[in-house]
Protein backbone atom coordinates (compact mmCIF):
# COMPACT_ATOMS: atom_id res chain seq x y z
CA UNK A 1 0.00 0.00 0.00
CA UNK A 2 1.42 3.37 -0.99
CA UNK A 3 1.45 6.29 1.37
CA UNK A 4 -0.28 9.48 0.27
CA UNK A 5 2.17 11.77 2.03
CA UNK A 6 5.86 12.37 2.26
CA UNK A 7 7.26 9.95 4.79
CA UNK A 8 10.53 9.91 6.66
CA UNK A 9 13.00 7.52 5.04
CA UNK A 10 15.09 5.64 7.59
CA UNK A 11 17.41 4.03 5.05
CA UNK A 12 20.06 6.74 4.45
CA UNK A 13 21.02 5.39 1.01
CA UNK A 14 17.37 5.52 -0.12
CA UNK A 15 16.92 8.96 1.41
CA UNK A 16 19.98 10.31 -0.40
CA UNK A 17 18.95 8.71 -3.70
CA UNK A 18 15.40 10.09 -3.38
CA UNK A 19 16.58 13.63 -2.63
CA UNK A 20 19.16 13.56 -5.43
CA UNK A 21 16.58 12.35 -7.93
CA UNK A 22 14.24 15.19 -6.97
CA UNK A 23 17.03 17.75 -7.33
CA UNK A 24 18.10 16.32 -10.71
CA UNK A 25 14.56 16.35 -12.14
CA UNK A 26 13.94 19.95 -11.01
CA UNK A 27 17.30 21.19 -12.30
CA UNK A 28 16.78 19.54 -15.67
CA UNK A 29 13.29 21.05 -15.94
CA UNK A 30 14.46 24.61 -15.34
CA UNK A 31 17.56 24.29 -17.50
CA UNK A 32 15.47 22.94 -20.39
CA UNK A 33 13.24 25.99 -19.97
CA UNK A 34 16.19 28.36 -20.39
CA UNK A 35 17.03 29.15 -16.77
CA UNK A 36 20.50 29.35 -15.26
CA UNK A 37 20.19 27.20 -12.14
CA UNK A 38 22.26 27.82 -9.01
CA UNK A 39 22.19 25.15 -6.29
CA UNK A 40 21.60 26.82 -2.90
CA UNK A 41 20.57 23.63 -1.07
CA UNK A 42 23.70 23.54 1.10
CA UNK A 43 23.07 27.05 2.47
CA UNK A 44 21.30 26.86 5.80
CA UNK A 45 18.25 28.92 6.60
CA UNK A 46 17.41 30.46 3.21
CA UNK A 47 14.31 28.34 2.55
CA UNK A 48 14.84 27.19 -1.04
CA UNK A 49 17.04 24.81 -3.05
CA UNK A 50 17.51 26.43 -6.47
CA UNK A 51 17.91 30.04 -7.56
CA UNK A 52 16.76 30.07 -11.19
CA UNK A 53 17.29 33.06 -13.47
CA UNK A 54 16.33 33.75 -17.07
CA UNK A 55 16.85 37.39 -18.02
CA UNK A 56 14.98 39.41 -15.40
CA UNK A 57 12.83 36.43 -14.42
CA UNK A 58 13.94 34.98 -11.05
CA UNK A 59 12.40 31.98 -9.27
CA UNK A 60 13.40 30.53 -5.90
CA UNK A 61 12.55 26.84 -6.09
CA UNK A 62 12.01 24.50 -3.16
CA UNK A 63 12.35 20.84 -4.21
CA UNK A 64 10.58 17.98 -2.43
CA UNK A 65 11.06 14.34 -3.38
CA UNK A 66 9.27 11.21 -2.25
CA UNK A 67 8.85 7.56 -3.14
CA UNK A 68 5.18 7.86 -2.20
CA UNK A 69 2.20 8.95 -4.22
CA UNK A 70 1.19 12.55 -4.88
CA UNK A 71 -0.35 14.06 -1.78
CA UNK A 72 1.39 15.97 0.98
CA UNK A 73 4.95 17.11 1.65
CA UNK A 74 6.63 18.40 4.76
CA UNK A 75 7.99 21.93 4.61
CA UNK A 76 10.17 23.70 7.12
CA UNK A 77 9.61 26.99 8.89
CA UNK A 78 12.34 28.57 6.72
CA UNK A 79 10.75 27.29 3.51
CA UNK A 80 7.38 28.71 4.52
CA UNK A 81 8.83 32.04 5.63
CA UNK A 82 10.78 32.39 2.38
CA UNK A 83 7.80 31.80 0.13
CA UNK A 84 5.67 34.23 2.16
CA UNK A 85 8.28 37.03 2.22
CA UNK A 86 10.48 36.68 -0.87
CA UNK A 87 10.67 39.55 -3.35
CA UNK A 88 11.14 36.94 -6.08
CA UNK A 89 8.73 34.41 -7.50
CA UNK A 90 8.77 31.11 -5.65
CA UNK A 91 7.89 27.59 -6.75
CA UNK A 92 7.38 24.25 -5.03
CA UNK A 93 8.68 21.45 -7.24
CA UNK A 94 7.49 18.01 -6.05
CA UNK A 95 8.89 14.78 -7.50
CA UNK A 96 6.96 11.70 -6.40
CA UNK A 97 6.78 7.94 -7.07
CA UNK A 98 10.58 7.75 -7.29
CA UNK A 99 11.97 4.22 -7.58
CA UNK A 100 15.48 2.81 -7.14
CA UNK A 101 18.07 0.81 -8.99
CA UNK A 102 21.64 -0.22 -8.30
CA UNK A 103 24.29 1.26 -10.58
CA UNK A 104 27.98 0.55 -9.99
CA UNK A 105 27.02 -0.88 -6.58
CA UNK A 106 25.33 2.41 -5.61
CA UNK A 107 21.63 3.02 -5.09
CA UNK A 108 20.21 5.71 -7.38
CA UNK A 109 16.76 7.20 -7.75
CA UNK A 110 15.01 6.73 -11.08
CA UNK A 111 11.74 7.69 -12.69
CA UNK A 112 9.20 9.69 -10.81
CA UNK A 113 6.52 12.13 -11.80
CA UNK A 114 6.51 15.80 -10.94
CA UNK A 115 4.18 18.62 -10.11
CA UNK A 116 5.10 22.31 -9.92
CA UNK A 117 3.26 24.92 -7.92
CA UNK A 118 4.36 28.20 -9.46
CA UNK A 119 3.97 31.45 -7.54
CA UNK A 120 3.76 29.22 -4.47
CA UNK A 121 1.91 30.93 -1.65
CA UNK A 122 0.45 28.40 0.81
CA UNK A 123 -2.82 29.28 2.50
CA UNK A 124 -3.45 28.65 6.20
CA UNK A 125 -5.94 25.85 5.49
CA UNK A 126 -3.29 24.01 3.44
CA UNK A 127 -0.85 23.88 6.38
CA UNK A 128 -0.87 21.51 9.36
CA UNK A 129 1.52 22.13 12.28
CA UNK A 130 3.59 19.03 13.01
CA UNK A 131 5.47 20.24 16.07
CA UNK A 132 6.23 23.23 18.21
CA UNK A 133 9.32 24.25 20.15
CA UNK A 134 8.53 24.77 23.82
CA UNK A 135 10.89 26.78 26.00
CA UNK A 136 10.99 25.35 29.51
CA UNK A 137 11.22 27.86 32.32
CA UNK A 138 13.70 27.13 35.05
CA UNK A 139 11.53 27.01 38.14
CA UNK A 140 13.65 24.76 40.31
CA UNK A 141 13.01 24.92 44.02
Amino acid sequence: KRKTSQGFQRDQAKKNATEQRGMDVAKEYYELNGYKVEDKSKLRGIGYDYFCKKGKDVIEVEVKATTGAFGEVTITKNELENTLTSNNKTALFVVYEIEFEKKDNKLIGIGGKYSIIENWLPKDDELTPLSYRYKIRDEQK
Side-chain angles (χ1 to χ4, degrees):
K1 184 177 176 185
R2 285 211 140 145
K3 292 182 181 179
T4 57
S5 65
Q6 179 185 16
F8 295 97
Q9 181 60 254
R10 292 182 186 183
D11 182 320
Q12 192 62 45
K14 286 183 177 181
K15 179 180 179 181
N16 293 343
T18 301
E19 290 176 358
Q20 188 60 55
R21 179 63 183 159
M23 294 292 285
D24 291 346
V25 170
K27 182 177 183 180
E28 181 180 344
Y29 172 86
Y30 284 101
E31 286 179 341
L32 287 173
N33 282 282
Y35 287 87
K36 180 181 179 219
V37 179
E38 293 179 43
D39 188 340
K40 304 289 187 178
S41 63
K42 302 292 186 244
L43 300 177
R44 295 188 52 86
I46 65 169
Y48 61 92
D49 293 308
Y50 284 137
F51 183 84
C52 302
K53 187 171 185 179
K54 178 169 65 171
K56 292 184 180 184
D57 190 21
V58 173
I59 308 172
E60 295 169 352
V61 180
E62 175 55 32
V63 179
K64 295 295 178 181
T66 181
T67 58
F70 185 75
E72 297 177 344
V73 293
T74 301
I75 61 172
T76 67
K77 179 182 175 194
N78 286 336
E79 292 161 358
L80 178 61
E81 286 178 359
N82 181 68
T83 197
L84 296 176
T85 62
S86 180
N87 292 325
N88 298 313
K89 287 193 256 180
T90 62
L92 179 64
F93 195 105
V94 181
V95 183
Y96 58 99
E97 295 183 9
I98 295 171
E99 297 180 346
F100 304 103
E101 74 177 18
K102 285 263 189 178
K103 187 173 186 180
D104 299 327
N105 213 24
K106 183 180 177 190
L107 196 65
I108 62 167
I110 59 168
K113 300 173 184 174
Y114 65 86
S115 178
I116 308 165
I117 301 170
E118 302 203 14
N119 300 311
W120 179 39
L121 195 59
K123 295 175 179 49
D124 286 344
D125 65 348
E126 298 169 326
L127 298 167
T128 303
L130 297 178
S131 63
Y132 295 91
R133 183 172 306 277
Y134 175 68
K135 186 172 183 175
I136 302 169
R137 295 185 193 132
D138 186 8
E139 298 180 3
Q140 293 181 357
K141 299 183 179 189

